[in-house]
Amino acid sequence: MTGSVVQSVDNVALLPAYLAAGTAVLVLLADLLVARARVTVATAALGAVATAAGAALVGAGDERRTFCVGPDCSYVFGGRAALVAVVVALLTLGVLGLSGPLLRAGRSPVGEYCFLLACSMTGGVVLGAAGDLITLIVAVETLTLPLYVLVGLRRGSLASAEAAVTFFVVSVVATTLTLLGAALLYAVTGGLHLDRIGALLAERPELRDLPLTTVAVALVVLGLAFKVAAVPFHAWAPATYDGAPLPVAAYLSTASKLGGVVALLAVVQRALPADVTGPVLAGLAVLTMTVGNLVALRQRRTVRLLAWSSVAQAGYILAPLGALALASGRADDARSAVYAAAVAYAVFFVVLELAAFAGVVALRPADADGGTVGDLRGAARRHPWRAAGLGLALVGLAGLPPGLAGLFAKVTVVRSLLGGGAGWLAVVVAVNAVIGLAYYLRLTATLWAEPVASVEPAAAGAGGDVGSPAVGSVVRARTVGAVLAVTTAVAVVIGLAPQLLLDVAAR
């Protein structure tokens, strides 16, 4: 028919998304038909492994595009999309391993828990390949929506319910802002594909100078800043992390934050003008890393300390994006290095953060909250290997050797900022990294400190979960120890070969 548009579907490009979505369906069927917790968890774990393998296989070849209208495509699966899909799938697998004590305690239904994790994984897999604003926003919400329920899924916990409501309300506001910004961008440009919007704004300066364009760009950036817990849109993170079950908090601080960073990077790199977004992101980065580090210094609860530290880490991730305005006039290699630094640092961070949460889970009683920093005092004297894994993760987050992954992450960001002409921002990152040493090393030193003679029962958690001596009745699940060992090993490996990760992130 004349004037019709013919679209072809590349099923190979969609294979990782098929595998992730199929995992969610199979988990539901396993829970319904077999009704055995081990089978349900095994189905989810095998699905996550298959998704990671499928993404790596598809991403190893040339970039694949589908759902295209002319040169504009809604789904682009290349090296970076494959990296994001693999990391999200492996994070899901790791969180499943950490969830064993929680699920065995019977506080959360196994079928619903695994199904929601698989649904969130599907959103993360699609997000890395999103080529238009609709696909991007739907993928972000598919990643985020199941987490509202996961946070509040623990039976009999007022803390989880409060955390879920807080997270839900803030996320709805963030989504509304992002959707409004996307609608205004469509009104200005008449397009939704990221590359098309970027080309139109570059070719027609009169569109970029419109007040409506400035408002649209600001709304999109600020809406996605909620997702990464950037200051001043961060207040939900500490309360939500501390109220959620520890494995869910681990997923929130890793996969969810990675998704927000990927979404923000996609619109900044391909659609929005760097001279507008650069100063905004630079300001957000400075505020985020500074406030996160300063408030983390005063924290006494373990999960809240990790939450505030993750806020500061988000500032380090945003810093390279803030240099885009200065790097926009430089060579393509300089701009590519800035983008690669943001992705690489995000991957470094999520691996170390998952290892840190795995260490906390391993050193806490089954189904307990994170407790206080004092609850971990002397843990290394009773459980040296588990404490060593947690200590290595904390040292890596601080950016010190022997945590080479964290060290190279900081170096990568600073080098990209200097190459992009943002030397002042590199100085701010270095100063904040020094501030962060105080609380990371304090928590690490606590693990090897002399234990007190008697430990009082920990104070009630944020909403009513009463803790117990952390080092007395310790979780002995093999899966938790395996997750801790694997994540610390991966951190060491990528720290030894950081350039490989940078090369993949730059694709």
Side-chain angles (χ1 to χ4, degrees):
M1 185 172 63
T2 305
S4 63
V5 177
V6 178
Q7 280 191 345
S8 61
V9 178
D10 187 347
N11 290 301
V12 175
L14 294 169
L15 177 62
Y18 291 157
L19 291 170
T23 299
V25 175
L26 288 176
V27 165
L28 274 182
L29 292 176
D31 186 54
L32 176 65
L33 300 177
V34 182
R36 295 183 62 182
R38 289 187 177 182
V39 174
T40 303
V41 174
T43 302
L46 290 174
V49 172
T51 301
L57 184 63
V58 176
D62 295 333
E63 182 180 84
R64 307 187 73 97
R65 295 170 172 258
T66 189
F67 301 127
C68 299
V69 178
D72 301 320
C73 299
S74 296
Y75 196 89
V76 182
F77 201 91
R80 185 181 299 173
L83 175 63
V84 172
V86 169
V87 172
V88 170
L90 294 181
L91 286 175
T92 303
L93 182 64
V95 170
L96 281 171
L98 296 182
S99 302
L102 173 70
L103 298 178
R104 277 195 297 274
R107 299 284 298 279
S108 297
V110 176
E112 290 86 339
Y113 188 93
C114 294
F115 170 72
L116 291 168
L117 269 181
C119 289
S120 184
M121 176 179 67
T122 304
V125 170
V126 174
L127 178 59
D132 63 54
L133 286 173
I134 293 177
T135 305
L136 184 79
I137 294 174
V138 169
V140 169
E141 291 311 304
T142 304
L143 172 65
T144 305
L145 280 171
L147 299 179
Y148 305 153
V149 184
L150 282 171
V151 169
L153 199 60
R154 186 166 51 177
R155 297 187 183 102
S157 174
L158 180 60
S160 291
E162 291 176 346
V165 172
T166 301
F167 185 33
F168 173 75
V169 171
V170 174
S171 290
V172 166
V173 173
T175 302
T176 303
L177 291 178
T178 307
L179 286 170
L180 179 57
L184 294 180
L185 274 178
Y186 179 73
V188 171
T189 63
L192 287 171
H193 291 90
L194 299 176
D195 293 331
R196 179 176 177 81
I197 293 173
L200 285 171
L201 293 178
E203 294 170 1
R204 300 179 60 183
E206 68 274 12
L207 292 180
R208 187 174 54 197
D209 296 336
L210 289 174
L212 188 61
T213 304
T214 303
V215 173
V217 170
L219 288 174
V220 171
V221 171
L222 296 180
L224 294 176
F226 274 102
K227 303 297 185 181
V228 299
V231 175
F233 315 109
H234 66 288
W236 62 272
T240 302
Y241 288 14
D242 201 22
L246 279 176
V248 177
Y251 193 82
L252 266 173
S253 64
T254 54
S256 179
K257 190 177 292 290
L258 177 63
V261 170
V262 170
L264 195 56
L265 179 64
V267 296
V268 168
Q269 179 182 8
R270 300 168 60 185
L272 305 183
D275 57 345
V276 177
T277 60
V280 174
L281 290 171
L284 286 176
V286 172
L287 277 175
T288 301
M289 69 179 76
T290 304
V291 172
N293 280 321
L294 292 178
V295 179
L297 291 172
R298 299 177 55 84
Q299 298 306 305
R300 294 296 177 264
R301 291 190 60 79
T302 306
V303 173
R304 283 185 176 267
L305 187 150
L306 291 176
W308 281 106
S309 78
S310 76
V311 171
Q313 298 286 348
Y316 301 140
I317 298 172
L318 292 177
L321 302 184
L324 288 176
L326 294 172
S328 59
R330 295 175 178 255
D332 290 340
D333 290 344
R335 296 197 301 273
S336 178
V338 170
Y339 297 129
V343 176
Y345 193 97
V347 174
F348 280 126
F349 163 72
V350 298
V351 173
L352 291 168
E353 185 80 350
L354 184 63
F357 270 96
V360 174
V361 172
L363 294 172
R364 292 290 292 156
D367 194 34
D369 60 15
T372 65
V373 173
D375 290 334
L376 297 176
R377 186 179 181 87
R381 297 171 182 265
R382 294 179 174 87
H383 306 282
W385 290 109
R386 299 176 190 183
L390 174 57
L392 181 62
L394 293 172
V395 169
L397 288 171
L400 293 176
L404 295 179
L407 175 63
F408 281 112
K410 296 285 194 302
V411 171
T412 298
V413 167
V414 171
R415 185 173 58 187
S416 71
L417 294 176
L418 294 176
W424 67 272
L425 193 52
V427 172
V428 175
V429 169
V431 171
N432 273 277
V434 173
I435 296 174
L437 295 178
Y439 56 85
Y440 283 126
L441 294 183
R442 173 169 61 87
L443 179 54
T444 304
T446 301
L447 298 173
W448 277 268
E450 184 71 28
V452 293
S454 61
V455 181
E456 296 295 331
D465 290 332
V466 178
S468 56
V471 294
S473 173
V474 178
V475 174
R476 298 187 180 276
R478 293 181 180 179
T479 53
V480 175
V483 172
L484 179 58
V486 170
T487 49
T488 51
V490 170
V492 171
V493 169
I494 62 176
L496 293 173
Q499 191 59 44
L500 178 62
L501 179 59
L502 284 170
D503 292 341
V504 175
R507 289 178 59 188

